[in-house]
Amino acid sequence: MTPGHIDWTAVGVSVRLGLVVAVLLGIIGIPIAWWLTFRRRRWTFLLDAIVALPLVLPPTVLGYYLLVGLGARSPFGRAWEHWTGHPFAFTFDALVVASLLYSLPFVVQPIAASFAQVDRVLLEAAATLGASPWRRFVRIVRSEEHTSEL
C-alpha cells in the first residue's frame, strides 16, 4: 500500500460495524433501560452492574474476558464452531459482540436517566385504563420526551 492510499475495505468494515452495532444497541439498549427504570426487582442491581462493567474494566481486560468466554475452548465457542464450521473469535460477528458489550452502558444509562424523568402517575393511569406496555411507551414516554424539550 502506498502512502496516502485509503484502504476502502477497512472503511467498509467500519461503516458496516457502526450500522449493525447502532441498530442492535437500539433494539437491546432501550428495553434494558426500560426494565432497569420501571421494573425494579430484587436482582436488578446485578443487570445494572453487568451493563456498567465496560466503564470500570480496562478494554484489555474486557477483551480477555470475551476471548475466554467466547473463544474456541469455551462451550459457546465450541457450539459456534460446530454450527458454523469456523471459530467465533476474530470474526466480524465477534467484533459486533465486543462493540455491543463495550458500547451498551453508553446507551442504557442515558436512556434510563431519560426514562426516570417520565411521570409514573401517567404510566400507572394508562395501565389502569388498559393500555399495553407498548402503547404506554409510545403514547406517554415518547410524548413526555418531546414535551420536556419545549
Side-chain angles (χ1 to χ4, degrees):
M1 181 159 53
T2 60
H5 178 75
I6 296 176
D7 183 4
W8 290 105
T9 305
V11 172
V13 169
S14 297
V15 168
R16 192 170 124 214
L17 176 67
L19 290 173
V20 169
V21 170
V23 168
L24 290 175
L25 282 170
I27 292 170
I28 295 168
I30 293 171
I32 290 174
W34 175 271
W35 195 80
L36 288 173
T37 304
F38 295 110
R39 304 279 188 214
R40 282 287 175 192
R41 300 283 193 257
R42 186 177 189 182
W43 299 102
T44 303
F45 75 93
L46 191 59
L47 178 61
D48 202 14
I50 290 170
V51 167
L53 267 178
L55 296 175
V56 294
L57 288 177
T60 52
V61 173
L62 186 63
Y64 174 75
Y65 286 159
L66 285 173
L67 276 175
V68 169
L70 304 175
R73 294 183 182 177
S74 72
F76 175 83
R78 287 193 301 269
W80 180 271
E81 191 164 355
H82 177 73
W83 293 327
T84 64
H86 61 82
F88 183 73
F90 305 108
T91 63
F92 182 78
D93 296 328
L95 191 57
V96 168
V97 169
S99 297
L100 197 71
L101 291 175
Y102 183 78
S103 303
L104 198 59
F106 300 106
V107 171
V108 170
Q109 290 179 347
I111 292 174
S114 179
F115 285 162
Q117 301 300 315
V118 173
D119 188 358
R120 291 179 190 254
V121 172
L122 293 175
L123 292 171
E124 291 168 5
T128 60
L129 293 172
S132 68
W134 175 251
R135 187 141 179 99
R136 283 180 272 164
F137 175 77
V138 171
R139 296 294 229 162
I140 296 171
V141 174
R142 269 193 56 222
S143 65
E144 281 278 312
E145 289 174 357
H146 291 295
T147 57
S148 66
E149 293 173 359
L150 298 177

